[in-house]
């Protein structure tokens, strides 16, 4: 689903920007390197009534506030009970993060039923709850969080009870000038996926659940002392045991290609001239580097922008080519090439790559 917006740049300005991004080395409008994210400010545990919360603000004024609330719920679906049976939570292992994920388990289909234990809602100023982009972003983020089955297992208590997580995201625009600009270009032009993913990741890292006292299939009884609460995702600080697999919440990175160059965390202007856009969902790996959970290709915004339509000589979505004047940008035709796709994924998952760097950097905020 491509963001549908009206670009504020003329075809000539788009041509200049596209040429700058295809240079070696490329020149980004804000002078960042291809792998550098926008400056940000982040804090966690700011909502006292929530099990976990985080606030993340980019330097351009976009801000995301995430609250995570856990609610005890009875497991009514027999498939859910069967799918997670035998994975009773041991609080010692839970605190250490040593929760195994068997990818070859026969109950893989049953585990997917437990995905509904995580519910996500997104609120954006000026956008309806049933807006297509709101639904798309919420579903994409939700799929990444439950993709490896680790989170549902952490919410499992016993065969009759589990935790239900409510993740509420509020995106705000504290800068009035930026808000006015975005009203003209629409929220879609910013494609706030990096803000949504990073803030949700931090909120889950700061989420705590009450320590379980009861055993087995007894009705759950918890420790009233909040200081004894256990983190949903254990911290990796100070842990040197390589035999312990410590999982982290997933994070989705937005990557674009312009010519032969790749760019992370693209600005709205860079998105306007992107040849290809891809969302890569990653999590921590037992080895060095990161592990891919999901990949989603996204139609570049240029496909439906008026500037691209004029350059292509047709209505939005037209895929033909026409001759244009020199210095006028024309969006490329066709989908993403396999070589570009492999390059995008490789730079994210390789040891010491962007995925490992982002996951490690976010850990420092908790």
């Amino acid at each position: 689903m491509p963001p549908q917006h009206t670009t504020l740049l003329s075809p000539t300005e788009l041509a200049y920007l596209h040429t700058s991004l295809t240079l070696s080395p490329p020149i980004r409008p804000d002078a960042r390197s291809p792998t550098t994210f926008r400056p940000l400010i982040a804090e966690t545990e700011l909502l006292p009534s929530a099990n976990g919360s985080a606030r993340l603000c980019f330097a351009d004024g976009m801000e995301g506030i995430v609250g995570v609330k856990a609610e005890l719920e009875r497991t009514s679906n027999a498939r859910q009970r069967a799918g997670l049976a035998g994975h009773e939570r041991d609080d010692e292992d839970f605190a250490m993060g040593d929760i195994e994920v068997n990818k070859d388990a026969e109950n893989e289909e049953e585990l997917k039923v437990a995905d509904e234990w995580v519910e996500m809602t997104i609120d954006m100023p000026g956008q309806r709850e049933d807006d297509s982009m709101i639904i798309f972003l919420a579903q994409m983020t939700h799929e990444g969080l439950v993709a490896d089955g680790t989170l549902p297992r952490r919410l499992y208590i016993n065969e009759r009870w589990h935790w239900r997580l409510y993740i509420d995201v509020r995106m705000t625009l504290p800068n009035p000038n930026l808000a006015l600009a975005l009203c003209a270009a629409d929220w879609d032009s910013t494609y706030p996926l990096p803000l949504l993913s990073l803030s949700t990741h931090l909120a889950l890292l700061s989420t705590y659940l009450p320590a379980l006292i009861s055993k087995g299939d007894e009705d759950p009884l918890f420790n009233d002392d909040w200081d004894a609460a256990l983190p949903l995702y254990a911290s990796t600080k100070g842990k040197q045991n390589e035999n312990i697999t410590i999982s982290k919440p997933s994070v989705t990175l937005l990557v674009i290609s312009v010519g032969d160059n790749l760019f992370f965390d693209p600005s709205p202007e860079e998105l306007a001239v992107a040849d290809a856009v891809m969302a890569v969902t990653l999590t921590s790996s037992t080895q060095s580097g990161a592990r891919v959970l999901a990949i989603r290709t996204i139609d570049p915004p240029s496909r439906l922008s008026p500037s691209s339509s004029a350059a292509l000589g047709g209505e939005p979505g037209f895929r033909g080519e026409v001759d244009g004047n020199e210095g006028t940008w024309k969006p490329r035709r066709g989908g993403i090439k396999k070589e570009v796709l492999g390059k995008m994924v490789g730079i994210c998952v390789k040891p010491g790559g962007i995925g490992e760097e982002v996951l490690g950097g976010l850990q420092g905020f908790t």
Side-chain angles (χ1 to χ4, degrees):
M1 183 199 72
Q4 303 178 20
H5 70 283
T6 301
T7 180
L8 301 179
L9 300 178
S10 69
T12 302
E13 291 172 321
L14 291 172
Y16 178 81
L17 176 59
H18 187 274
T19 301
S20 300
L21 295 177
T22 56
L23 297 175
S24 181
I27 302 176
R28 303 182 74 170
D30 51 10
R32 287 184 289 154
S33 69
T35 58
T36 301
F37 283 67
R38 285 168 287 177
L40 58 85
I41 299 174
E43 59 178 321
T44 58
E45 302 180 10
L46 68 154
L47 301 178
S49 61
N51 291 80
S53 59
R55 169 183 172 268
L56 190 145
C57 181
F58 281 126
D60 58 10
M62 293 181 61
E63 182 179 21
I65 301 176
V66 181
V68 180
K69 192 70 176 177
E71 181 179 280
L72 190 64
E73 186 175 70
R74 184 182 293 273
T75 305
S76 58
N77 193 312
R79 292 183 64 193
Q80 292 174 342
R81 295 196 297 269
L84 290 170
H87 293 280
E88 286 79 3
R89 189 185 77 177
D90 183 280
D91 279 346
E92 181 177 355
D93 290 341
F94 185 82
M96 292 294 292
D98 187 16
I99 296 183
E100 298 181 356
V101 179
N102 184 3
K103 297 180 181 179
D104 299 327
E106 296 179 356
N107 57 14
E108 182 178 355
E109 293 298 323
E110 283 77 8
L111 288 176
K112 293 180 181 179
V113 182
D115 292 352
E116 64 186 39
W117 295 353
V118 180
E119 186 174 321
M120 188 165 196
T121 58
I122 301 176
D123 180 34
M124 294 182 182
Q127 297 289 316
R128 293 168 53 96
E129 292 182 359
D130 58 353
D131 182 82
S132 59
M133 184 177 183
I134 299 291
I135 297 174
F136 177 73
L137 289 174
Q139 185 63 25
M140 180 189 295
T141 307
H142 178 272
E143 288 177 357
L145 293 175
V146 301
D148 62 351
T150 301
L151 183 54
R153 282 188 173 90
R154 291 177 176 273
L155 301 178
Y156 180 83
I157 298 176
N158 55 42
E159 291 189 6
R160 296 187 297 120
W161 296 92
H162 66 267
W163 290 106
R164 173 179 285 271
L165 280 190
Y166 296 92
I167 304 175
D168 298 312
V169 184
R170 169 71 175 178
M171 295 189 178
T172 60
L173 301 170
N175 187 332
N177 295 327
L178 179 63
L180 181 61
L182 291 181
C183 287
D186 199 359
W187 261 101
D188 296 350
S189 65
T190 67
Y191 214 76
L193 181 60
L195 175 65
L196 170 63
S197 177
L198 296 179
S199 56
T200 302
H201 180 96
L202 287 176
L204 288 173
L205 283 180
S206 67
T207 298
Y208 282 76
L209 298 178
L212 187 65
I213 299 178
S214 57
K215 300 292 184 179
D217 291 334
E218 300 175 356
D219 286 344
L221 181 64
F222 300 97
N223 192 332
D224 293 334
D225 186 4
W226 187 250
D227 291 335
L230 300 173
L232 183 62
Y233 287 91
S235 173
T236 60
K237 296 178 179 179
K239 294 184 173 61
Q240 304 297 330
N241 190 345
E242 296 181 356
N243 296 323
I244 295 180
T245 301
I246 300 178
S247 61
K248 297 180 183 179
S250 64
V251 61
T252 301
L253 305 180
L254 194 62
V255 192
I256 68 170
S257 68
V258 182
D260 296 330
N261 297 323
L262 302 181
F263 301 93
F264 287 82
D265 189 25
S267 65
E269 294 78 16
E270 292 168 338
L271 277 170
V273 297
D275 294 333
V277 183
M278 190 170 69
V280 184
T281 303
L282 307 168
T283 188
S284 56
S285 173
T286 55
Q287 307 298 327
S288 58
R291 179 164 56 94
V292 175
L293 295 179
I295 299 174
R296 188 187 293 266
T297 58
I298 303 171
D299 281 342
S302 59
R303 298 288 174 84
L304 297 180
S305 66
S307 295
S308 66
S309 300
L312 293 174
E315 297 299 324
F318 181 79
R319 294 297 188 267
E321 280 188 344
V322 297
D323 293 332
N325 297 326
E326 184 177 358
T328 301
W329 174 70
K330 296 185 298 182
R332 65 180 299 274
R333 296 169 50 191
I336 183 173
K337 296 182 179 180
K338 292 183 178 180
E339 294 78 6
V340 177
L341 179 63
K343 186 178 179 181
M344 285 180 168
V345 175
I347 196 174
C348 291
V349 301
K350 69 178 183 179
I354 303 303
E356 185 176 357
E357 181 180 346
V358 170
L359 290 169
L362 291 173
Q363 186 71 38
F365 286 105
T366 60

